[in-house]
Amino acid sequence: MKVWLLAALVIALSGTTARAADPRYPDWPCTQAKVPEISLAAVWAGPPLDDVQNKWKDDARVSALVAKLAARKTPLDEAEKSVKEFLAASGSDKTANAKLLFAGLFDTLNAQRSQVMNGLERVSRKQREAADKIREETLQLHTLQGATPRDEAKVEALSNELIWKTRIFEDRTKVVRFVCEVPTTIDQRLFALGRVIQQEME
């Protein structure tokens, strides 16, 4: 692909990202709306969690289970099975343990979401800077190509640099599109696990 076509692709991609962003969150690169935090009311209809707050961290069994359930490498069906087994073995402490478990999941998965979203916005800022640099160097290349006499070594060096930078930009754009799905996946995981916890409490 010719250098100018690659540069045009970068400009098009960066323009798409800019249009997709919510005006309230100028660095947000995803087509999905940015929801900074999951609302507790949206994922939990069980008893109030005010009395457990951060107490889940003090329970070694609960905190270990929260870490396992929150890990995206743990298949959701396996996570749901672990919730059922844990609460079934809780006896008279079932309600208290269920609340601790969900409080831990809510805190942990919200923190995961924030990390992912902050990372996406950092990459978005880098992509904007990269697109600006590519535009600037494309103009420099046009000037070099039209110069008389033409310095072929400089033209080739800048062409190669533009190709390399544009490919990095493209690769990052693909990664961003993939990572943009992660907050939604976390939302779905928390909702599903919350539903199982509430069902087991009944």
Side-chain angles (χ1 to χ4, degrees), residues 17-37 117 121 125 128:
T17 302
R19 283 194 301 277
D22 186 321
R24 293 171 298 167
Y25 309 110
D27 294 326
W28 182 243
C30 307
T31 53
Q32 298 90 332
K34 180 182 178 183
V35 180
E37 286 190 343
M117 293 166 101
E121 291 184 326
R125 288 191 288 273
R128 197 178 303 127

Side-chain angles (χ1 to χ4, degrees), residues 50-100:
D50 300 344
D51 57 330
V52 294
Q53 294 291 332
N54 291 323
K55 290 180 183 174
W56 65 272
K57 295 177 183 175
D58 301 326
D59 187 313
R61 288 176 313 139
V62 171
S63 54
L65 184 56
V66 164
K68 177 187 174 184
L69 300 178
R72 290 193 295 280
K73 66 182 179 183
T74 304
L76 187 56
D77 56 348
E78 183 184 322
E80 290 176 345
K81 184 183 174 191
S82 295
V83 167
K84 290 175 183 176
E85 289 172 352
F86 172 70
L87 293 178
S90 292
S92 60
D93 294 330
K94 182 184 277 191
T95 298
N97 281 341
K99 288 168 65 176
L100 285 171

